[in-house]
Amino acid sequence: MNPGIVGQAAGLFAVTNIDDILILSLFFAQGAGHPGATRRVVLGQYLGFAAILAVAVAAAFGATFLPESVVPYLGLLPLALGLKATWQAWKHRGDEDDEEGAKEGGPKALEVAAVTFANGGDNIGVYLPVFATAGVGGMSVYAVVFMVLVAVWCFAGRFFATRPLVAKALSRWGHVLLPAVLIAVGLLILIEGGAFGL
């Protein structure tokens, strides 16, 4: 394994996924106190990132599962989830014991995966030329490094979400922050991609 390629892969992952730490922190905070929530967030992150990798690798081999014109519309996923979370927060405002939140048990793996994939849709465009020139061996190194770094990102998100000061702020404002961030991510993807002529 070439250390240079490992370093390049680590740098590429960090640059293209820095915003995921905030989103992961919000998901971990939303799941605080719910059994299995951490596992679901990590699983969702891996599923979403594996989908990004699969599309980028397939595209590097010439397959076009996702036309470039469709990528901006991926912003509809986090936008819809953000609106859903806003509705849930509004519907349960003032609930003291929040029984519904206890039943739901925090974020679901597929919701996390959808946000991860939509937020990383633009990463495909960055990974594609790198993968196309790296060859099969290089792509394998990139994929392994990326998947290891997903675990590091999950650890970092969980770490930030459990720091006393951050945890207190997220427990107080997380029900507002998560929908706001998801809606902002969705709108940013739509606007930057020129979806709907924006």
Side-chain angles (χ1 to χ4, degrees):
M1 203 180 271
N2 183 339
I5 293 178
V6 171
Q8 290 170 3
L12 183 61
F13 181 89
V15 167
T16 56
N17 292 289
I18 196 71
D19 54 340
D20 275 354
I21 292 177
L22 170 64
I23 295 169
L24 280 168
S25 296
L26 289 168
F27 277 132
F28 281 121
Q30 185 187 33
H34 298 287
T38 297
R39 186 174 1 104
R40 287 191 299 276
V41 172
V42 172
L43 175 63
Q45 183 71 6
Y46 266 101
L47 288 173
F49 201 81
I52 291 169
L53 271 181
V55 170
V57 167
F61 284 115
T64 54
F65 297 116
L66 201 59
E68 194 174 318
S69 61
V70 173
V71 171
Y73 295 97
L74 291 175
L76 293 172
L77 290 170
L79 181 62
L81 291 170
L83 292 172
K84 177 186 171 200
T86 300
W87 170 250
Q88 292 296 324
W90 183 79
K91 192 166 85 171
H92 297 290
R93 69 192 183 287
D95 289 358
E96 290 299 319
D97 54 1
D98 196 13
E99 290 174 24
E100 183 68 26
K103 283 183 215 168
E104 289 182 10
K108 296 181 180 33
L110 290 179
E111 291 175 346
V112 176
V115 171
T116 300
F117 185 75
N119 192 36
D122 57 338
N123 294 6
I124 295 167
V126 176
Y127 299 159
L128 175 59
V130 174
F131 288 0
T133 58
V136 175
M139 267 193 282
S140 300
V141 173
Y142 274 94
V144 168
V145 171
F146 284 3
M147 294 313 260
V148 168
L149 289 176
V150 167
V152 172
W153 250 234
C154 287
F155 176 80
R158 177 117 169 74
F159 175 82
F160 289 124
T162 57
R163 296 305 91 201
L165 187 61
V166 176
K168 184 177 179 183
L170 290 177
S171 70
R172 183 168 183 187
W173 297 104
H175 68 287
V176 174
L177 285 175
L178 181 64
V181 168
L182 292 177
I183 290 169
V185 165
L187 289 174
L188 189 64
I189 293 168
L190 289 168
I191 291 167
E192 283 186 351
F196 303 114
L198 298 173

